[in-house]
Amino acid sequence: MPQAEDTSGVANVSTARPDWPPAVIAGAFQTGVLGVRTLKRRGVRVASFDANPHQPGFRSAHGKALRCPNPDGESDEWLQFMIDLARSMGARPALILSSDQFVTAVANHADRLAQHYLLSPGWRVQGLLADKQSQYDLASRQGMPMPRTEEIHTAAEIVRFSREVQYPCLLKPTHFRQWQKFPAGHPLASQKVAVANDRDQLIDYYRQAATVNPHAILQEIITGPDTNKRVYLACYDANSRRIGHAMFRELRCDPLGFGPATISHPVTDPDTDRVCDEFLRRIGYVGICEIEMKWDDRDGRVKLIEANPRLSGGGDAAPYAGVDLCWLHYLDLIGQCVTPISPRTGDFRHIVLRPEGRALAAYWRAGLLTWRDLRFSWKRPLAFYDLDPQDWRYSLETLCIAGKSFIVEALRKRP
């Protein structure tokens, strides 16, 4: 596995001093666990929290997360929890976000939280990017290239748009958590997108989605193979100066065609880098951001899929390229001067193993995976998002889930 070292030499310190502020990671999904691990290794005292006690952070060898009230339904209780947590740490901690839910919650309570935490001055823009509607509105106003995107509020609108869009197309909730309200087994339960292949299917998906929220996003797809996708990762300081960045090409994703990358590797793509960097600078972005882009075979332009204003699964690849975004963000939050760093050269594969088992079977079934492709995608050195020798319980669970997912997908009957 490649070593995640700082490439800035003596310009940026690699470990925290004893008198530096503690940190709090908002979110205990694996992205949050990795944020805790990163800062602990650097000598930072760090805690994490989440409203969902089933997240891996509550069982992590790197420190157990604290359970908080759900900010979506217990806003005042969550705010009091945050104030009490800050006071318990003995110093004003740096607050680092790893979940859209808490990006939104922080944006809603920033004025109060800023009295107790070292808070990113970019919280307003982060809050806009955490919601798909405001994200696409902002991107459109700034001239960010993107596929045709429409806001849907009523059944009449979806019927009208269904006659105009090109198929297949996507239906998305304005926020991922909306579709988490569906019961297990529902076609849209916990899905990020629904892929409609024709008009009838699109209308049916919308009718199902509207039982939770009639407001949704309709979007035409960006044509081309999954290898056309790029993942731009960066951190911007309090002055919207880029202090770290990296770029990766997707090799596979889950679900096939429309999901997050299960395997990616470093790539040099100056055009995508320029488009993403200029967009974030124009909106005065501050903090960590992941932007998923894709080259469209129809017109040869790279276009926005979505932006994630926080620590992310794909972002875990950046430290293995020498760009530790979480550490750089912490340094900026506590007022340290940061020298910008660029990714070091070298190739490796970054693997999210749990969904990769399902992706392998799905790509093979679809005729999109050859033995040559498989060898290339698993070419060493390898870096894993969800395998950690220090966290053996979680890693064992990862291996079981990946194996089970592969078997279930491989045995699934073709539609």
Side-chain angles (χ1 to χ4, degrees):
M1 181 181 294
Q3 295 299 306
E5 298 175 351
D6 197 327
T7 60
S8 57
V10 297
N12 292 323
V13 295
S14 59
T15 56
R17 292 200 293 262
D19 60 337
W20 280 6
V24 170
I25 304 292
F29 188 59
Q30 184 65 3
T31 50
V33 172
L34 296 178
V36 170
R37 184 184 71 179
T38 289
L39 295 182
K40 275 197 167 184
R41 288 177 174 177
R42 302 277 190 174
V44 179
R45 184 163 59 90
V46 57
S48 68
F49 64 84
D50 206 294
N52 181 355
H54 302 295
Q55 299 285 31
F58 289 90
R59 307 182 302 278
S60 173
H62 303 292
K64 296 187 184 303
L66 302 171
R67 187 174 183 180
C68 69
N70 190 324
D72 292 341
E74 304 169 282
S75 180
D76 292 341
E77 293 85 350
W78 180 79
L79 178 59
Q80 188 59 53
F81 166 88
M82 293 296 292
I83 293 171
D84 292 343
L85 175 59
R87 289 171 175 166
S88 73
M89 301 199 72
R92 193 175 167 208
L95 184 59
I96 299 176
L97 308 175
S98 73
S99 162
D100 285 342
Q101 180 180 39
F102 298 117
V103 173
T104 301
V106 168
N108 290 339
H109 297 282
D111 291 341
R112 290 289 305 278
L113 292 173
Q115 300 172 31
H116 303 275
Y117 290 89
L118 298 171
L119 201 64
S120 170
W123 58 265
R124 285 189 181 85
V125 174
Q126 291 170 350
L128 291 174
L129 293 181
D131 178 88
K132 290 294 182 290
Q133 176 192 351
S134 53
Q135 178 183 134
Y136 292 136
D137 287 346
L138 180 61
S140 179
R141 292 198 303 271
Q142 295 297 328
M144 185 72 156
M146 53 192 293
R148 178 181 176 179
T149 303
E150 306 282 357
E151 299 175 27
I152 306 297
H153 299 84
T154 66
E157 286 180 331
I158 196 69
V159 169
R160 176 164 58 88
F161 287 129
S162 69
R163 301 189 186 102
E164 303 171 0
V165 298
Q166 297 186 57
Y167 293 95
C169 67
L170 308 177
L171 189 72
K172 303 180 180 182
T174 57
H175 203 293
F176 168 62
R177 297 195 305 283
Q178 291 174 1
W179 288 3
Q180 289 181 330
K181 297 176 182 178
F182 286 114
H186 190 281
L188 300 180
S190 298
Q191 297 298 309
K192 288 190 173 183
V193 300
V195 183
N197 294 306
D198 55 42
R199 182 187 175 204
D200 290 341
Q201 191 174 36
L202 176 61
I203 293 173
D204 183 56
Y205 277 142
Y206 177 75
R207 286 173 177 164
Q208 295 180 56
T211 61
V212 169
N213 191 327
H215 190 185
I217 303 294
L218 174 65
Q219 192 171 65
E220 293 183 348
I221 70 166
I222 306 171
T223 61
D226 291 332
T227 51
N228 281 12
K229 294 181 185 178
R230 303 290 184 266
V231 181
Y232 172 82
L233 305 163
C235 183
Y236 292 77
D237 70 8
N239 297 312
S240 295
R241 179 185 61 135
R242 187 167 73 172
I243 54 178
H245 67 97
M247 179 83 69
F248 293 84
R249 180 174 76 124
E250 180 179 284
L251 296 177
R252 279 190 293 280
C253 63
D254 178 59
L256 192 157
F258 302 102
T262 61
I263 293 192
S264 60
H265 72 126
V267 68
T268 300
D269 188 336
D271 290 334
T272 301
D273 180 270
R274 175 184 54 78
V275 169
C276 294
D277 183 43
E278 288 180 355
F279 168 66
L280 292 175
R281 290 178 191 272
R282 283 196 299 269
I283 64 176
Y285 192 81
V286 178
I288 295 169
C289 193
E290 172 193 80
I291 303 182
E292 296 179 22
M293 306 286 289
K294 185 177 180 181
W295 287 97
D296 194 329
D297 282 352
R298 282 180 296 208
D299 57 15
R301 300 178 67 202
V302 67
K303 298 177 182 178
L304 172 69
I305 298 175
E306 66 175 10
N308 296 304
R310 51 172 171 76
L311 293 174
S312 64
D316 175 60
Y320 298 103
V323 184
D324 191 337
L325 298 175
C326 188
W327 175 242
L328 295 176
H329 186 41
Y330 169 80
L331 290 176
D332 181 59
L333 284 173
I334 68 172
Q336 293 293 308
C337 182
V338 180
T339 299
I341 59 175
S342 300
R344 59 168 174 253
T345 57
D347 196 20
F348 64 92
R349 305 294 181 265
H350 182 257
I351 302 172
V352 185
L353 192 56
R354 294 188 179 207
E356 168 62 3
R358 185 167 48 245
L360 278 172
Y363 277 71
W364 189 268
R365 284 162 50 89
L368 298 174
L369 182 64
T370 66
W371 286 111
R372 182 179 180 181
D373 295 332
L374 183 61
R375 288 194 299 270
F376 177 80
S377 62
W378 278 77
K379 181 181 178 181
R380 294 175 179 272
L382 306 176
F384 290 93
Y385 165 75
D386 45 7
L387 277 183
D388 181 352
Q390 291 184 321
D391 214 341
W392 64 268
R393 289 185 180 86
Y394 181 79
S395 298
L396 182 60
E397 183 181 86
T398 290
L399 293 172
C400 292
I401 290 174
K404 181 179 179 180
S405 298
F406 175 82
I407 293 171
V408 169
E409 180 66 28
L411 297 178
R412 186 172 62 86
K413 292 182 180 181
R414 294 182 181 274

